[in-house]
Amino acid sequence: MPLQRILIPYNFTMYDFKALEFAIRTFSKSEEVEITLFNAYVPPPKMDTDENSVMHRLKGNLQYLSQRVQRQEEALNEAKQYLVRNGFPENRVRCLFVPKKKDTAGDIIDRVHQHAFHTVILNNKPKKATRFFTGSASSKVVNALKNITVCIVT
């Protein structure tokens, strides 16, 4: 049986943790599964902060943003270790931590096409009023992906 490639977008919420739990319950016993945890982060801006620059005053804020991105990458690796501790072989769990290029749904759709994933496991956050106008990421992903299994964990 060919390897089944699964993408799990992970943004460090309790809803994302539910998606991990679903993956563990459903796929941890299978030897033909490869999991990729995906996070698209907002990169801190690149600015000249030398001593003579007016932007020097922002140096502390930029360092804070850089540290926050580093903590997010560490948290993504902790999620990977959680999957490993709960039955997935370490060589079958990957982390994909990349700068955000589009909206959340667009980044997920691009990754599915670029890396030939077979399944996407999404969470379903409670509805917000703004989603009435913009649409949820999960509905955009479902509508855009054809011949891909999309699991939505509530």
Side-chain angles (χ1 to χ4, degrees):
M1 178 180 219
L3 190 67
Q4 182 179 4
R5 303 187 73 218
I6 300 172
L7 179 69
I8 304 176
Y10 196 76
N11 288 313
F12 320 106
T13 69
M14 68 176 185
Y15 303 106
D16 296 314
F17 186 75
K18 287 181 179 182
L20 290 185
E21 289 292 320
F22 172 79
I24 291 167
R25 285 190 315 272
T26 309
F27 299 106
S28 65
K29 304 293 186 237
S30 175
E31 294 180 12
E32 300 298 325
V33 170
E34 178 182 279
I35 302 282
T36 299
L37 296 173
F38 170 66
N39 180 269
Y41 65 91
V42 178
K46 303 275 189 223
M47 294 183 175
D48 180 22
T49 59
D50 64 10
E51 295 295 325
N52 299 327
S53 171
V54 173
M55 302 306 285
H56 178 68
R57 287 181 249 159
L58 295 177
K59 188 174 185 177
N61 292 339
L62 292 176
Q63 287 176 340
Y64 169 77
L65 292 174
S66 295
Q67 290 170 352
R68 185 171 177 205
V69 168
Q70 184 178 6
R71 284 193 303 271
Q72 286 179 327
E73 186 171 20
E74 291 167 359
L76 192 65
N77 284 314
E78 289 172 14
K80 172 186 175 179
Q81 291 307 313
Y82 182 77
L83 290 173
V84 170
R85 284 192 307 272
N86 284 281
F88 289 99
E90 188 159 10
N91 65 340
R92 296 275 173 97
V93 181
R94 293 174 174 48
C95 291
L96 189 56
F97 189 71
V98 297
K100 191 174 198 119
K101 293 184 179 175
K102 297 181 178 180
D103 65 335
T104 301
D107 282 337
I108 292 169
I109 293 162
D110 287 350
R111 295 296 171 227
V112 169
H113 291 306
Q114 288 173 1
H115 300 281
F117 287 101
H118 303 103
T119 304
V120 179
I121 300 175
L122 300 171
N123 69 62
N124 188 27
K125 296 177 186 172
K127 301 288 183 212
K128 293 183 181 178
T130 57
R131 289 199 189 137
F132 177 76
F133 300 104
T134 62
S136 69
S138 59
S139 66
K140 290 177 184 178
V141 169
V142 168
N143 289 328
L145 296 178
K146 303 297 178 214
N147 298 318
I148 303 291
T149 302
V150 179
C151 300
I152 300 176
V153 180
T154 59

